[in-house]
Amino acid sequence: MTGTYFAWDLAYRGDAPCVRDDRLELTYAQFAQRVEAVAEQLAGLGVGPGDVIATFLPNRAELLVVLSAAWRLRAVGTPVNPGFTDHEAEYQLADSGAKVVVAAAPVGDAAKRTFVDVETLATVPSAAWTPPTAPTDADDALLIYTSGSTGQPKGVRLGHGNLHFFARAAGEHFQVGADGHALLILPLFHVNAIAVSCLTPIMAGGQVSITGHFSASRFFDDVARLKPTYFSAVPTIYAMLVSRGDIPAGATDSLRFAVCGAAPISRELLEKVEASFGIPIVEGYGLTEGTCASACNPIDGVRKLGTVGPAMPGQQIRIVGATGEDVPTGERGEVLIGGPAVMRGYLNRPEATAETIVDGWLHTGDVGTFDEDGYLRIVDRIKDMIIRGGENIYPKEIEAALSAEPRVLECAVIGAPDPFFGEVPVAYVVTYPNADVTAEALAAFVEDRLAQVKRPARIHIVEQLPRNPVGKIDKPALRRRSAEAAAV
């Protein structure tokens, strides 16, 4: 699959639908026109190659217009989480060196950069507009900030080479053609939403329907009305959807598949979702530093629940031991990623870049294994490993055992300080609505599923789990919660 996602190169598609949201619907020709208009507007503000344009917007079509307009000028886009406080937003704006921010109202230190009200974005370029030289794959395209669960967030530099490669590979893997129609429900400050739900269908000649803030109550109405062929979501969203009960008849008939990523999903929840939706849910794995996804189960062919599938087209994955040697099939080691999807580095952080990318291989910090067919299973994060009296314990194993209980919606296990063992596993569990289950019952349930050293020392049933800005369970927050409770 060849092609591009550059709006100005796709205007020839004319009246074919390209991007829509709850208020606006744009054909390919209209999208290209708006991109040119905003590019001219930004150029008038002094924006040129290498400058950074920030957005502070909820999911809406204009966010994609602004990103594409930045690219038209060989500038770089950095989408900021619109849920950030002024302080959090200012950190990203300052760290990225943003020259212009497009938002609904000024954000951060307004004196440091130019503010453009999203409602004043130009829609038609002037007759005098002359576009500059087009960007190349060698140009930076995006600065996506990591969640910052350990230390300050870092800006991940992704170039057009990274994005073009990934969109082509994803189109091949997911079999997305001109009839592809993505329902975008994930936040557009995350690379998953941009790469999987926007660039992939646009490159293929398909379309994107953007919904606002995700709502389980409107999801099936949106699917029935818009008739998308696929969507990408995180486990929490799938849990919310299936916990609502019966799916309206015919609501999901247009869907061909769905993608699950960003966080591990339990086998039980995956099976429940597939049974409810009647379509394959393909679980994948990747990092922002690897342009979203590096492995994914196939839509057709063998899907292995509990794995994240084989390497995506054109990418390489290794499992290595402590000294950097490849380990035998079935043995645990750190997951390394190689290929054209690997980031260019962290912005202005050469030491962090050198620690993460060694000899071209991205060190993920994840522990994984390969099976005999090359399917990857993620065991856990290296930093999340619990050492109980010298025994290495992977929280994901305990989470999988707890998730096998039908009344468990989701759970997270952390290591808590212990005066005798050093660390012990502690579980936080969210149950399905109206489920009647106690911590004692859950402890009894996992007794024959886990060795004694792996059984949680404590199980807390909670209403919800804390999450970072991209929707992943925030284990550092749980560790702080556990430490505070122990100090009382």
Side-chain angles (χ1 to χ4, degrees):
M1 178 179 174
T2 59
T4 183
Y5 47 73
F6 291 142
W8 53 92
D9 286 333
L10 303 177
Y12 71 90
R13 292 174 179 163
D15 292 337
C18 181
V19 178
R20 71 173 59 78
D21 60 20
D22 293 338
R23 307 158 300 100
L24 183 65
E25 186 164 348
L26 300 173
T27 65
Y28 273 90
Q30 291 167 335
F31 183 64
Q33 182 181 57
R34 291 212 177 203
V35 168
E36 296 291 357
V38 175
E40 181 181 24
Q41 184 178 11
L42 294 174
L45 298 173
V47 174
D51 288 334
V52 176
I53 308 301
T55 60
F56 190 76
L57 297 168
N59 280 11
R60 55 189 292 179
E62 287 88 350
L63 199 158
L64 292 181
V65 170
V66 172
L67 288 182
S68 295
W71 298 340
R72 188 56 157 146
L73 302 174
R74 298 183 69 184
V76 184
T78 188
V80 184
N81 181 353
F84 274 177
T85 64
D86 214 47
H87 176 76
E88 290 170 318
E90 176 58 29
Y91 170 82
Q92 182 171 337
L93 295 172
D95 188 76
S96 66
K99 186 169 188 175
V100 175
V101 58
V102 179
V107 60
D109 189 340
K112 292 183 177 179
R113 57 195 65 89
T114 302
F115 163 69
V116 175
D117 189 327
V118 66
E119 300 301 335
T120 67
L121 288 175
T123 57
V124 180
S126 72
W129 168 240
T130 302
T133 303
T136 69
D137 277 357
D139 289 316
D140 279 1
L142 289 173
L143 276 175
I144 303 292
Y145 275 71
T146 59
S147 59
S149 57
T150 55
Q152 291 279 37
K154 298 186 289 291
V156 175
R157 295 174 53 217
L158 298 178
H160 287 296
N162 296 128
L163 297 180
H164 272 124
F165 166 78
F166 180 82
R168 292 176 187 128
E172 175 186 340
H173 183 80
F174 296 128
Q175 304 166 32
V176 176
D179 60 346
H181 181 179
L183 180 67
L184 173 61
I185 58 177
L186 293 177
L188 273 168
F189 56 83
H190 190 260
V191 72
N192 185 313
I194 295 172
V196 175
S197 298
C198 295
L199 301 186
T200 296
I202 287 175
M203 181 177 284
Q207 56 184 302
V208 183
S209 289
I210 302 172
T211 63
H213 184 72
F214 173 75
S215 166
S217 62
R218 67 172 279 185
F219 175 82
F220 294 110
D221 289 338
D222 285 338
V223 173
R225 174 174 57 89
L226 297 167
K227 302 189 184 314
T229 58
Y230 77 96
F231 68 96
S232 180
V234 296
T236 305
I237 287 178
Y238 287 111
M240 291 169 64
L241 293 174
V242 297
S243 67
R244 287 180 52 83
D246 293 338
I247 295 175
T252 61
D253 286 355
S254 67
L255 292 172
R256 189 166 61 86
F257 69 96
V259 183
C260 182
I265 186 171
S266 70
R267 175 190 293 266
E268 291 72 24
L269 178 56
L270 193 58
E271 290 175 338
K272 184 175 294 188
V273 175
E274 287 198 335
S276 298
F277 279 62
I279 58 172
I281 310 295
V282 291
E283 186 178 6
Y285 161 80
L287 285 71
T288 301
E289 290 88 339
T291 318
C292 188
S294 298
C296 190
N297 274 281
I299 297 171
D300 298 325
V302 178
R303 281 182 295 121
K304 297 187 179 183
L305 301 187
T307 79
V308 292
M312 291 276 284
Q315 300 198 52
Q316 298 84 46
I317 299 177
R318 296 169 57 201
I319 307 290
V320 303
T323 57
E325 78 287 358
D326 290 88
V327 302
T329 298
E331 289 195 13
R332 292 172 172 171
E334 184 180 8
V335 179
L336 272 56
I337 297 167
V342 173
M343 69 169 179
R344 302 189 166 195
Y346 295 115
L347 180 69
N348 299 327
R349 287 170 170 80
E351 291 183 1
T353 299
E355 291 172 359
T356 305
I357 303 176
V358 181
D359 295 329
W361 289 92
L362 173 65
H363 287 243
T364 67
D366 289 315
V367 180
T369 64
F370 273 136
D371 70 9
E372 63 281 0
D373 298 316
Y375 280 60
L376 176 65
R377 184 183 303 274
I378 300 299
V379 176
D380 226 318
R381 292 286 295 167
I382 291 175
K383 64 181 178 60
D384 286 342
M385 186 175 69
I386 301 166
I387 303 177
R388 179 191 183 277
E391 290 266 5
N392 291 347
I393 298 172
Y394 293 97
K396 196 166 183 285
E397 292 183 51
I398 306 172
E399 291 162 359
L402 285 165
S403 295
E405 215 290 345
R407 291 168 291 186
V408 171
L409 178 58
E410 59 180 352
C411 62
V413 174
I414 61 164
D418 182 85
F420 186 76
F421 292 107
E423 280 186 306
V424 292
V426 172
Y428 290 84
V429 176
V430 179
T431 63
Y432 279 94
N434 303 316
D436 182 18
V437 64
T438 64
E440 292 74 20
L442 291 175
F445 178 80
V446 298
E447 274 191 5
D448 62 350
R449 289 171 167 78
L450 295 170
Q452 186 170 357
V453 296
K454 298 178 184 179
R455 295 173 196 162
R458 294 180 295 279
I459 298 176
H460 303 285
I461 297 178
V462 296
E463 290 187 2
Q464 60 183 9
L465 297 172
R467 298 187 181 279
N468 65 27
V470 298
K472 295 182 180 180
I473 294 172
D474 190 349
K475 288 195 172 183
L478 286 176
R479 293 188 189 99
R480 290 192 296 271
R481 182 188 300 182
S482 178
E484 289 166 2
V488 174

